[in-house]
Amino acid sequence: MDLKNLTIKKFHEGLMGKKFSAKEAAETFFSSIKKEDEKYGAYLRLTEELALSQALSVDKKIDGGEKVGALAGVPLAVKDVILIKDEIVSGASKILSEYKAGYDATVIKNLKEENSMFLGYTNCDEFAMGASTENSGIQITKNPHDTSRVPGGSSGGSAAAVAADLTVAALGSDTGGSIREPASFCGVVGLKPTYGSVSRFGLMAMASSLDQIGCLTKTVEDAVILFQAIAGRDEFDATSEEHDWSDVMDFDAERAKGLTVGLPEEYFVEGLDAQVEKGLDEALGRFKKLGIKFKKVSLPHTSLGVSCYYIIMPAEVSSNLARLDGIRYSRIIKDDAIEALLDIYKKQKGEGFGEEVRRRIMLGTFVLSHGYYDAYYAQAQKVRRLICRDFEKAFDSGVDAMLTPVYPTPAFKIGEKASDPLEMYLGDIFTIPTSLAGLPGLSAPVKDYKVGSGELPIGFQLIGKKFREQDILGLGRLYETSS
Ligand code: GLN
């Protein structure tokens, strides 16, 4: 069984055509992961027993002539922040190293109903805080295209596993770019859905007004299949909404030609790496050849996005992570020096949380504190409103989607930015505004284009209107199938 470039689509065809069984697929993937993942460190934990029982049940269904869907038996990797019942899920944090999930996240429940197969948990920045996966409390992950570089983050393990053919597709989460940026660095497709398209129930909360679960896949077509399976209203997440996604696949050149795509002038500025700019030009040229119309638009508050996000996000982080007091959910450290409750908190949190998580909890606590609340948090909420309005105005001016870079540079070197958090934060400039406005964003690799020493892919970003995933997925699919 050839795992190279194995998509959901091809897997389904192979399984249905009896070229392999789901059990054989499971065994092949696990043996490749065990042999090859040492080079990349994409996986933290494998869920072999679960996968095998899922595979056997798919094989039984097929042998019994039962009809199965497009995701049946499909090997998926899961970012270490999404709960799978009875499996250890740690948020790539030491503090949760022994935490076993008591229930399935809604996306997992949906995918179990589709008979998918879960290979294991992938590495990420601790509690999804970061852009390089270097903030993981467990290990670092390397970019399969160049192992001296980061895979991006925070869903770096998921992106690397897809890029290295160590899974067919993966789930990630995106709060300010964590699906789109690693997708761009690793040359895979990443979809961050509209805030509210996919249930957040069972996702470890980082910043609840921004978090969304989404997919990392090899093709846009696969992203559509996976998205359709996880999207929808869920009674356990009051912010989720029901929408009709059935026509996402009915997108053709004719429909695409009716769309106008905006080019926000604030996204094509100094500081954008020349090779990234050239890649974007390539993508733009191809879209134009396909008949897509383009129009300049302005998003004037773009430059405020990073500072606005780095106030709102830590504020939410500090309250969400308060539940991790070192007693609930945590491993118990035995230490005779512990006398009082405060000692437990100090020891458990001090040793359990990494530096970046501690920084954000403290920042968040500060911006929410009495006397500073108005100056920081309330002000940032107003700026967030302005950023949302920028997008509304641009869309009202007659554009259906926008084309932008995902990240100012290709994948950077491991260690290059690790000691400078501000430098790391600034890189999020092109993904954060979309998150603040709750819009869907797709990162897809620029075709036949590599930078650096000829190894590194880069992606372009398509931003859509709220709950109009079909526009960006349709455009992405059109691009991907163009010759
Ligand atoms: N890089 C951003 C951050 O560090 C985004 C993280 C994310 O989307 N989870 O917060």
Side-chain angles (χ1 to χ4, degrees):
M1 181 181 180
D2 185 10
L3 304 187
K4 199 137 185 44
N5 301 322
L6 188 61
T7 60
I8 296 179
K9 199 66 196 293
K10 285 192 211 153
F11 183 94
H12 184 65
E13 285 162 10
L15 187 69
M16 291 323 217
K18 302 242 185 282
K19 295 227 171 64
F20 51 81
S21 67
K23 180 170 174 271
E24 279 159 5
E27 287 163 356
T28 312
F29 270 98
F30 285 122
S31 103
S32 301
I33 294 168
K34 283 174 198 165
K35 259 193 263 148
E36 289 167 37
D37 195 39
E38 241 170 71
K39 288 186 279 195
Y40 314 121
Y43 281 92
L44 292 177
R45 260 164 272 114
L46 300 180
T47 49
E48 276 187 272
E49 228 172 274
L50 172 66
L52 214 60
S53 77
Q54 289 172 318
L56 289 176
S57 105
V58 170
D59 287 338
K60 204 166 143 206
K61 281 193 178 160
I62 294 175
D63 288 344
E66 245 181 85
K67 215 170 139 25
V68 294
L71 280 161
V74 171
L76 297 176
V78 181
K79 183 177 180 179
D80 199 28
V81 288
I82 301 171
L83 272 49
I84 304 178
K85 189 173 188 308
D86 295 332
E87 298 293 338
I88 288 186
V89 49
S90 76
S93 178
K94 289 197 181 76
I95 204 161
L96 288 186
S97 58
E98 288 167 16
Y99 173 66
K100 235 184 213 175
Y103 60 95
D104 279 328
T106 299
V107 293
I108 297 295
K109 186 176 136 279
N110 293 346
L111 289 166
K112 281 185 175 173
E113 279 163 15
E114 297 284 331
N115 300 297
S116 298
M117 175 166 83
F118 299 115
L119 295 176
Y121 275 116
T122 47
N123 195 24
C124 56
D125 289 296
E126 189 175 3
F127 295 118
M129 299 179 204
S132 65
T133 312
E134 291 164 297
N135 296 338
S136 164
I138 304 171
Q139 65 193 36
I140 59 162
T141 297
K142 296 169 184 168
N143 191 317
H145 295 277
D146 173 351
T147 50
S148 70
R149 292 175 189 269
V150 302
S154 60
S155 313
S158 286
V162 176
D165 289 313
L166 297 179
T167 182
V168 172
L171 291 177
S173 68
D174 189 313
T175 302
S178 275
I179 288 176
R180 292 160 286 161
E181 184 243 17
S184 174
F185 283 10
C186 291
V188 302
V189 171
L191 172 70
K192 179 207 99 78
T194 307
Y195 183 79
S197 281
V198 176
S199 168
R200 290 177 292 111
F201 182 70
L203 167 69
M204 285 181 192
M206 173 181 161
S208 312
S209 77
L210 297 152
D211 301 339
Q212 266 297 282
I213 295 176
C215 0
L216 291 126
T217 53
K218 293 182 191 171
T219 61
V220 177
E221 183 176 42
D222 279 2
V224 173
I225 299 172
L226 197 50
F227 171 68
Q228 283 175 328
I230 60 173
R233 161 94 187 130
D234 174 22
E235 60 172 322
F236 295 120
D237 176 1
T239 61
S240 65
E241 286 185 29
E242 195 60 56
H243 285 268
D244 180 11
W245 302 113
S246 54
D247 69 340
V248 183
M249 279 295 200
D250 306 332
F251 196 93
D252 58 17
E254 280 319 301
R255 188 164 140 197
K257 279 178 198 157
L259 298 183
T260 303
V261 176
L263 295 168
E265 55 181 306
E266 293 79 4
Y267 282 61
F268 296 88
V269 284
E270 236 177 282
L272 184 61
D273 181 284
Q275 302 196 78
V276 172
E277 198 172 357
K278 195 159 161 261
L280 259 286
D281 277 346
E282 291 265 334
L284 180 65
R286 191 180 279 264
F287 274 119
K288 281 187 176 161
K289 269 200 218 132
L290 289 165
I292 312 293
K293 291 179 284 301
F294 282 89
K295 184 180 159 178
K296 283 221 164 81
V297 291
S298 174
L299 300 169
H301 297 95
T302 299
S303 64
L304 301 178
V306 172
S307 21
C308 171
Y309 171 87
Y310 279 95
I311 290 172
I312 293 175
M313 174 273 298
E316 295 185 22
V317 161
S318 73
S319 57
N320 274 327
L321 266 61
R323 79 190 63 168
L324 301 177
D325 55 7
I327 299 173
R328 284 174 296 174
Y329 311 106
S330 302
R331 75 210 190 295
I332 299 301
I333 302 176
K334 294 211 171 57
D335 186 339
D336 292 340
I338 291 177
E339 283 178 1
L341 188 59
L342 193 63
D343 296 334
I344 301 181
Y345 289 158
K346 277 189 186 158
K347 181 142 184 93
Q348 293 276 52
K349 289 188 166 201
E351 290 177 15
F353 286 138
E355 199 184 346
E356 183 61 26
V357 171
R358 288 206 297 266
R359 179 164 27 246
R360 294 189 192 204
I361 293 174
M362 286 189 283
L363 253 174
T365 309
F366 177 76
V367 300
L368 290 176
S369 58
H370 183 70
Y372 294 103
Y373 183 92
D374 282 345
Y376 294 107
Y377 186 72
Q379 192 69 7
Q381 291 291 9
K382 289 182 195 158
V383 173
R384 182 176 191 173
R385 189 65 226 128
L386 294 175
I387 290 170
C388 293
R389 209 170 292 155
D390 279 358
F391 280 107
E392 284 158 16
K393 277 194 195 146
F395 283 127
D396 281 350
S397 77
V399 301
D400 303 282
M402 295 181 208
L403 176 72
T404 77
V406 178
Y407 197 82
T409 64
F412 45 87
K413 290 262 184 198
I414 292 171
E416 192 180 321
K417 298 189 184 188
S419 57
D420 187 347
L422 187 60
E423 175 80 15
M424 193 74 95
Y425 299 167
L426 289 171
D428 299 336
I429 179 160
F430 301 136
T431 47
I432 276 176
T434 327
S435 298
L436 288 168
L439 303 173
L442 177 75
S443 169
V446 176
K447 262 177 120 117
D448 309 322
Y449 186 75
K450 293 277 179 335
V451 302
S453 51
E455 299 297 328
L456 296 176
I458 61 145
F460 60 83
Q461 175 172 232
L462 285 167
I463 303 170
K465 292 181 183 170
K466 251 184 203 167
F467 299 109
R468 289 294 307 172
E469 271 80 344
Q470 45 269 72
D471 295 336
I472 54 173
L473 288 166
L475 284 165
R477 180 74 186 136
L478 192 70
Y479 175 88
E480 147 180 302
T481 48
S482 66
S483 48

